[in-house]
Amino acid sequence: MTEELLMACTNDFSGLTRGKGFRLSDLDRKIASGIGWTPTNVQITCFDTIADSPYGAFGDLVLRPDSDTYLCAPLPGGNKLRFLLGDIFDLDGNPWECCTRGLLKAALTRFREASGLDLHATFEHEFMLPGGRGSGAFSLQGFAEHQAFAEALFEALASAGISPDSFLREYGPDQMEITLPPAPALRAADEAVVVREIVRATANAMELHATFSPLCAPDIVGNGVHIHFSLWDGDLPVTHAPSGRDGLSAPASAFVAGILDHLNAVSALTAPSAISFLRLVPHRWSAAFNNLGALDREAAIRICPLTETEFAARARQFNLEFRAADAAASPYLALAGLVSAGTLGLEADLRAASSTAEDLSLLSSTELDRRGLRRLPDSLGSAITDFLADASLLETFPSRTPGIYAAHKRSELAHVEEMADAKRFAAYAQTY
Ligand code: GLU
Ligand code: MG
C-alpha cells in the first residue's frame, strides 16, 4: 500500500502556494508542532529567482497548518490533491512579519476595531483553458467543450466544502470564469487559494494547462480577479442604506473612500506583476481610474446589480466589487491591502465621492483633476513607488514588510525586463 502524503502550505508574496509535504498519518502531530520554514523563502519570486533578502541564510520560522483548511480533492484519473493552508510564526510564537495570511488577519482585526463590523468577500476568477475547439463566448457549445472539466472541478471543490455559484465560458479566447458565494473574509481568501490550486490540478490531471495570468497576449482580454465585499453587523447586512449617496451606508462609504484614496498604493498589492498594468487601462472592462461606478464594468469599485425586489433581500444582496486585482496577487495580501485602506477610510470617517456615470477616458485632465479622479499607475514599478510613498497605508503593516515586498517585486521586474514581449507573456502564463 502506498503512503498517503499531503502538504502544509502558505500562499506567499509571489501569489503562489508553497510548502512542505509529510505523511497523512503525521497530520495531528504536524498540526500540533508546525513545520519548519525558511524566512528567505518569501523572496522566491514567481520565476523562482531570489530577491534581496534581509534574512539571508539566517533564521527559522514555523508554518502552522490550520486544520479548518484541510482538503482532499479527487482529481480526474484517481489522484488526490491534499493540502492545508497555514500561518507562519517566528520561533517566539509571534505572527511573522511576511506571513500573508497573518497580515490579512491583522488587517481584519484593525477593521473590526474601527467599525465593530465583519467583512464578507468572494473572489471571482477568470482564467484561460485552451483545449476546446475555440467555440464562442458564452456559447452552449463552448460550455459543452469544457463541461467534463467543469464537472470534475465542481466535484473537487465540493470536497473542500466549496459550492461554486457559476461556471462560464467567458468572453476571451479559451477564457473561463468561476464564481463562489460570499464568505467571511479570511475564509473567502482561503477559498480563492483553493480555487486556483484545484483549477490548475484538475486541468493538469486532464492534460490541460489552465492559466490565471493577468494577460496572455497584449491584444486579448485579460484575466481579472474581482473581489466582492460587503459589511455585516453579525447577521445584519449593513453595506446598503437606501438614503445614502449611491445607496451606500456610512461605513460602506468610508470603506470605499479609503480604498479609492489609497488605490495607487493598493494596486501594488492587488495587481503585482510586470504585465498587470497592461490590463488596467480604459476599455478593457477592468479598472483604470480611482472611481466608484454603479453597474460600470470599468470602475475600480463597482456597485453590483440587485436582482432581489424586497428591501431585506436587497440589503443582503448589496455588494461592491473591486476590479483592479489579478491572480498574480496572493488573495491574502490583496485583501489585506483593501481592508487596510478601507479601514483608514473608516478611521478618518471619510465619505466616498459620487459614483461616476461616463467613460472617464474621454474627460480632459482638468476635468479629472477637478473631480479628484486619477489614472491608476501605468506600471508595477510606479505602483511600488506609490506604495512606498503612502505613509498612512505603510503604517498598517509591520515596519519592515513593505520594503521586503518592494524588493521582491523589483527583482521580479528585473527578471523580465529584458525579455521580448512574447517571452514575458509566456513566462507569466506558465507561472500562474
Ligand atoms: N476580463 C475583464 C477583466 O480583466 C472582466 C470582464 C468582466 O466584466 O467579467 O477584469
Ligand atoms: Mg468576467
Side-chain angles (χ1 to χ4, degrees):
M1 171 126 171
T2 57
E3 185 80 54
E4 293 177 316
L5 301 183
L6 79 165
M7 248 176 91
C9 299
T10 175
N11 185 280
D12 61 20
F13 282 1
S14 69
L16 297 178
T17 305
R18 308 184 203 255
K20 289 184 178 173
F22 52 88
R23 276 188 208 86
L24 185 56
S25 54
D26 283 340
L27 179 59
D28 289 344
R29 197 166 62 76
K30 296 290 185 185
I31 286 176
S33 66
I35 62 169
W37 196 245
T38 305
T40 285
N41 284 3
V42 78
Q43 294 304 63
I44 302 177
T45 70
C46 66
F47 301 116
D48 271 3
T49 55
I50 297 195
D52 278 349
S53 162
Y55 313 110
F58 295 94
D60 249 292
L61 301 164
V62 185
L63 169 56
R64 292 192 180 282
D66 178 342
S67 57
D68 288 349
T69 67
Y70 173 81
L71 73 90
C72 175
L75 298 174
N79 282 342
K80 293 200 164 72
L81 180 69
R82 211 184 269 113
F83 68 96
L84 308 96
L85 296 164
D87 301 291
I88 306 174
F89 297 87
D90 66 23
L91 297 184
D92 295 325
N94 305 305
W96 184 47
E97 59 190 350
C98 293
C99 170
T100 55
R101 196 167 186 260
L103 292 170
L104 174 56
K105 286 181 173 175
L108 289 168
T109 300
R110 183 161 166 172
F111 164 77
R112 229 168 272 124
E113 282 164 8
S115 65
L117 302 174
D118 296 315
L119 189 79
H120 291 192
T122 182
F123 290 65
E124 177 182 320
H125 284 94
E126 292 171 335
F127 58 98
M128 302 297 184
L129 185 71
R133 297 179 55 233
S135 295
F138 303 104
S139 69
L140 179 58
Q141 197 178 325
F143 181 82
E145 283 165 18
H146 293 286
Q147 193 156 344
F149 167 83
E151 288 176 1
L153 174 64
F154 274 47
E155 187 188 341
L157 289 170
S159 70
I162 298 176
S163 168
D165 185 64
S166 56
F167 178 85
L168 326 179
R169 163 69 182 90
E170 246 285 10
Y171 175 71
D174 300 316
Q175 192 175 38
M176 311 294 144
E177 175 176 308
I178 182 158
T179 66
L180 311 183
L186 180 66
R187 167 82 190 165
D190 286 339
E191 288 184 353
V193 175
V194 167
V195 162
R196 293 176 196 179
E197 296 309 328
I198 292 187
V199 163
R200 292 178 180 125
T202 303
N204 287 345
M206 297 175 75
E207 298 193 4
L208 299 170
H209 173 71
T211 181
F212 292 83
S213 174
L215 200 58
C216 290
D219 51 351
I220 63 170
V221 169
N223 289 314
V225 172
H226 302 161
I227 307 176
H228 294 253
F229 58 89
S230 54
L231 309 181
W232 292 77
D233 185 357
D235 286 339
L236 210 66
V238 294
T239 322
H240 184 37
S243 59
R245 185 191 282 167
D246 287 308
L248 266 57
S249 67
S253 182
F255 192 79
V256 164
I259 295 173
L260 295 179
D261 266 12
H262 295 278
L263 184 60
N264 279 18
V266 166
S267 68
L269 303 172
T270 59
S273 79
I275 54 175
S276 293
F277 289 83
L278 302 174
R279 174 181 155 259
L280 299 178
V281 297
H283 308 147
R284 277 189 166 276
W285 287 30
S286 54
F289 293 86
N290 62 333
N291 64 322
L292 171 71
L295 314 187
D296 175 359
R297 289 189 177 75
E298 298 216 354
I301 296 181
R302 180 172 78 122
I303 303 169
C304 294
L306 299 177
T307 53
E308 300 286 354
T309 50
E310 294 296 315
F311 174 75
R314 287 171 77 80
R316 298 187 80 77
Q317 192 183 25
F318 196 96
N319 73 94
L320 299 148
E321 175 192 43
F322 179 82
R323 298 177 66 88
D326 65 49
S330 165
Y332 301 122
L333 206 52
L335 196 53
L338 291 185
V339 172
S340 296
T343 300
L344 292 172
L346 285 160
E347 289 169 353
D349 211 7
L350 301 182
R351 187 166 179 224
S354 296
S355 62
T356 56
E358 67 272 78
D359 180 349
L360 300 185
S361 71
L362 301 177
L363 300 187
S364 67
S365 54
T366 324
E367 181 61 7
L368 290 170
D369 283 350
R370 192 185 65 74
R371 293 169 57 183
L373 294 166
R374 238 185 4 251
R375 267 289 276 121
L376 277 159
D378 62 1
S379 67
L380 177 59
S382 56
I384 296 283
T385 304
D386 290 343
F387 176 58
L388 294 178
D390 189 332
S392 49
L393 187 68
L394 294 193
E395 176 272 321
T396 66
F397 288 90
S399 59
R400 297 202 304 175
T401 308
I404 298 170
Y405 179 76
H408 178 124
K409 286 291 152 185
R410 284 174 171 156
S411 166
E412 175 184 332
L413 287 175
H415 181 75
V416 298
E417 194 177 4
E418 301 292 317
M419 286 182 187
D421 279 357
K423 194 168 169 204
R424 187 179 308 118
F425 284 111
Y428 277 106
Q430 171 62 31
T431 297
Y432 290 112

